[in-house]
Amino acid sequence: MTYNEFRTEAQRKLRDCTDVENPDFEISTIICHICGIGKARLLAIRGEEIPEKFVSPMLEAIERRVQHEPLQYIIGEWEFFGLRMFCGQGCLIPRPETELLVEKAIELIPKGGHFVDLCTGSGCISVAILNNRKDVTGTAVDISASALEYAKKNAQYHKVEKRLEIVNMPLEKYLPITVPDCIISNPPYVKTEDVDAFPPVMKFEPRIAFDGGHDGLEFYKTIAKRYSSRFLKEGGFLLLEAGYDTVREVEAILKYRKMQTEVLEDMFGVERVCIGKKVVSE
Ligand code: GLN
């Protein structure tokens, strides 16, 4: 079978798969991942025969995609903030809108500062910050041990593991040893009824990574209550990703805790991040 023939066959199989928006991109990504080649190389050899050993893994990958498994799980990695991040069943797939949280953290954490990343999942936020700020240390907290396996792997792969403490604990139990300069979180924030209505592709990701309770705000209430005063330095920041439909409610929660707030738009023009600053007492 040639690469071109494989593509035609894969296109046919993915034709009715509603969650595949760009079949050509997904097919190329699968071919390149399995054959260990770049996209430019694939273009050059598209008329050639596929080495026998790659054919069945490639067909199996397409079959998994037909069954709605996300592409990111099939290839086991995804790019986030320009960095390779490993991911798979048991952790949320890194999403581009979350890069805004990283951008802001890189800008706001003071020199030599310490951050805590609550509900870290794959650890992509912590690893991306530490990769860009060599002077900073962090603690990544998550209730899921399987998600933290990815966090550990990502920290090691990017050689930041010495500056990242990984803690397997629910966020309402975690007690920071060092009071952080910044608390960052992309917590589960989808309303329970919206999680119930997810398309099949999103059902592969852990429900606990999405479900923010009936109003989607459960985690913000806990975070604001626990981390807006005692466990945050004066002048420190809470940096929270939120749902397009809840970010202003998150802002209200932080205002209630007497924080100075700001809402930021992501790369898609959606209000996505709420920053709360702990005001220095007079
Ligand atoms: N951004 C995710 C989405 O696809 C939600 C992730 C979360 O709940 N933190 O809706």
Side-chain angles (χ1 to χ4, degrees):
M1 185 185 263
T2 67
Y3 292 94
N4 263 344
E5 284 162 356
F6 174 81
R7 182 181 297 279
T8 310
E9 172 74 1
Q11 277 165 341
R12 191 184 59 76
K13 289 192 172 181
L14 292 172
R15 203 172 38 212
D16 300 324
C17 197
T18 46
D19 48 63
V20 181
E21 276 172 30
N22 188 343
D24 269 334
F25 167 78
E26 297 211 11
I27 295 164
S28 302
T29 304
I30 286 172
I31 299 174
C32 290
H33 177 77
I34 291 173
C35 301
I37 56 172
K39 295 214 165 143
R41 172 90 187 125
L42 174 60
L43 214 59
I45 60 171
R46 61 188 188 268
E48 293 178 17
E49 284 291 312
I50 306 168
E52 190 55 37
K53 62 178 178 198
F54 295 140
V55 176
S56 30
M58 279 162 61
L59 290 170
E60 275 161 33
I62 296 296
E63 207 42 55
R64 285 167 70 182
R65 197 63 192 93
V66 170
Q67 302 298 326
H68 305 290
E69 186 168 344
L71 176 67
Q72 294 89 335
Y73 279 7
I74 295 169
I75 64 170
E77 61 182 75
W78 204 239
E79 194 180 297
F80 177 78
F81 213 76
L83 301 167
R84 181 185 200 186
M85 295 289 173
F86 299 100
C87 63
Q89 226 150 40
C91 81
L92 188 83
I93 296 163
R95 286 164 162 72
E97 60 268 27
T98 305
E99 294 180 355
L100 176 59
L101 217 50
V102 176
E103 233 170 77
K104 273 326 255 190
I106 291 172
E107 183 188 317
L108 292 174
I109 300 172
K111 190 145 186 49
H114 180 75
F115 69 85
V116 171
D117 172 13
L118 299 167
C119 309
T120 191
S122 68
C124 62
I125 296 171
S126 290
V127 171
I129 295 170
L130 293 171
N131 188 268
N132 284 277
R133 285 287 307 270
K134 309 285 183 213
D135 57 314
V136 159
T137 58
T139 302
V141 183
D142 204 285
I143 194 170
S144 161
S146 45
L148 290 180
E149 288 301 314
Y150 292 98
K152 216 178 288 170
K153 193 169 169 187
N154 286 323
Q156 280 165 356
Y157 183 79
H158 291 288
K159 302 192 170 42
V160 299
E161 78 277 12
K162 290 204 178 71
R163 291 184 288 125
L164 184 66
E165 178 195 25
I166 294 181
V167 179
N168 186 195
M169 211 179 269
L171 66 103
E172 64 275 12
K173 294 233 168 76
Y174 173 64
L175 283 171
I177 301 166
T178 317
V179 177
D181 299 280
C182 199
I183 303 269
I184 302 142
S185 186
N186 172 21
Y189 59 66
V190 183
K191 294 174 184 149
T192 302
E193 60 175 345
D194 294 341
V195 181
D196 292 336
F198 270 173
V201 64
M202 286 174 78
K203 295 220 161 99
F204 277 82
E205 290 173 274
R207 189 182 173 105
I208 58 161
F210 291 115
D211 195 342
H214 75 282
D215 56 4
L217 298 172
E218 217 158 89
F219 286 81
Y220 301 103
K221 292 174 200 158
T222 312
I223 292 171
K225 187 171 173 202
R226 195 172 164 82
Y227 297 97
S228 61
S229 57
R230 191 150 70 98
F231 297 137
L232 185 60
K233 277 198 193 145
E234 289 207 349
F237 295 92
L238 253 179
L239 275 172
L240 303 173
E241 180 173 322
Y244 70 96
D245 54 349
T246 53
V247 68
R248 291 292 173 179
E249 290 170 274
V250 173
E251 183 181 32
I253 291 171
L254 300 190
K255 275 195 164 37
Y256 177 75
R257 297 282 164 190
K258 311 246 177 322
M259 299 191 101
Q260 243 171 36
T261 61
E262 191 186 345
V263 168
L264 305 172
E265 284 182 5
D266 66 17
M267 54 176 58
F268 307 109
V270 177
E271 289 188 334
R272 179 63 65 190
V273 163
C274 185
I275 306 182
K277 183 174 182 184
K278 182 174 168 185
V279 184
V280 181
S281 48
E282 307 279 298

